[in-house]
Amino acid sequence: MRHLELHMLQSVPVACLNRDDLGSPKTAFFGGAQRARVSSQCWKRAVREYARELCPQGFAGERTKLVVEPLRRELQALGLNADQAGDGAKALAEALGKWDADGEKKGKLQIKTLFFTSPNELRALARAYVAAGEARDAAKKALKSLKSEDLRDAADISLFGRMVADDHSLTLEGAAMFSHALSTHRVDTEMDFYSAVDDKQPEDESGAGMMGTLEFQSATYYRFVALNLDLLADADHLGSLSAQQRQEVVRVFVEACLKALPSARQNSMNAATLPGYVLAVARDKGHPVQLINAFEAPVTSRSGLLEASIKALDAEYETLKKVWGLEAVAEYRLPEMDFQALLTGVAGHVR
């Protein structure tokens, strides 16, 4: 498997990047110690949104239950009247997922499950439905006609994949692989007590108008992302694009991976940082290998955790190369080189 690996170390100050069902920062035990954790799904969403900001025409995918109205508009644009378009949109939606009958009673025309799609794909579905005429199975025929060309505006679907329980033919394996981000060291969740003053409170009265507590963490995270270049270029993904277009997709994706940060509590606990160290590796065979075991023994240091984490990461990588014979076509490091040079380097491995 031809692939790229991104190994990132990123120090984040007071933050709650990813919360559990009780509002507490997520954690995990690794190496016998509690670590700060940010789920892969959380950081993937941040990357997807950042990539869309960088390249809206190529990353136009959206996860939504609300596919009926855009499908209705597309069908009307193809000449169907309002009633025909409404019926056709509902039929297509029902083919994509389970219809939300309870929602319909409340005036919500939607399916029960999120469907990851794009404007071009919905447009293609509408065209295929109209081409099928009045056939009873027109919606199913339309779904079967979808091809990779319909994802030309949705590199995010090819990268992140989608699962469609009601029609496995629409399920697509993502070319990108994300691990959960873990702190390289032991982390204890801390409490922040806050209070707010009522601006209209009389001067002779004291006390807060509101008070409470919030949990937070600060940590140096090890983050890992890999990209299957062979899968990205196959016919079901972005095979319809030129090599140059796929290179641009990868440039955008890698930039988003390095710069995106989950947005939770960014107004009250702004923790916007960039990775302090990046090792990007290109390989022509094998499968992606994490370097997380560099931190199986939690890092400790009185002079900063980032530098100690970098040393541990580099030592683990050299050990794996020596013991297991890991072969790399190329390696790129920040801050030894600048950001644009790294992007150009990794994109050069895309065929």
Side-chain angles (χ1 to χ4, degrees), residues 125-238:
L125 274 172
R127 287 197 302 266
Y129 178 84
V130 172
E134 299 298 322
R136 291 181 61 186
D137 57 350
K140 291 184 178 180
K141 287 183 177 179
L143 262 60
K144 291 180 180 180
S145 71
L146 290 180
K147 300 178 182 179
S148 61
E149 287 83 353
D150 302 323
L151 297 179
R152 293 176 67 89
D153 65 338
D156 34 14
I157 297 178
S158 292
L159 286 162
F160 300 105
R162 70 177 171 199
M163 195 278 287
V164 183
D166 295 305
D167 189 339
H168 294 295
S169 67
L170 295 176
T171 294
L172 192 70
E173 180 183 358
M177 294 157 270
F178 284 69
S179 72
H180 289 233
L182 287 180
S183 64
T184 64
H185 51 93
R186 184 189 305 271
V187 168
D188 293 319
T189 299
E190 300 180 70
M191 301 291 292
D192 174 38
F193 171 79
Y194 66 88
S195 61
V197 176
D198 188 331
D199 290 340
K200 290 187 176 295
Q201 181 173 286
E203 292 184 3
D204 59 351
E205 291 185 16
S206 61
M210 182 180 68
M211 63 181 64
T213 58
L214 291 173
E215 295 178 83
F216 69 90
Q217 300 165 331
S218 58
T220 296
Y221 290 96
Y222 169 72
R223 299 171 51 211
F224 174 76
V225 178
L227 181 58
N228 184 332
L229 297 178
D230 290 334
L231 189 63
L232 188 67
D234 77 9
D236 291 328
H237 292 72
L238 298 181

Side-chain angles (χ1 to χ4, degrees), residues 35-52:
R35 313 297 180 103
R37 175 173 68 93
V38 179
S39 72
S40 58
Q41 186 69 13
C42 176
W43 224 306
K44 280 164 69 175
R45 178 170 176 80
V47 169
R48 186 162 62 87
E49 291 178 338
Y50 201 102
R52 186 172 187 175

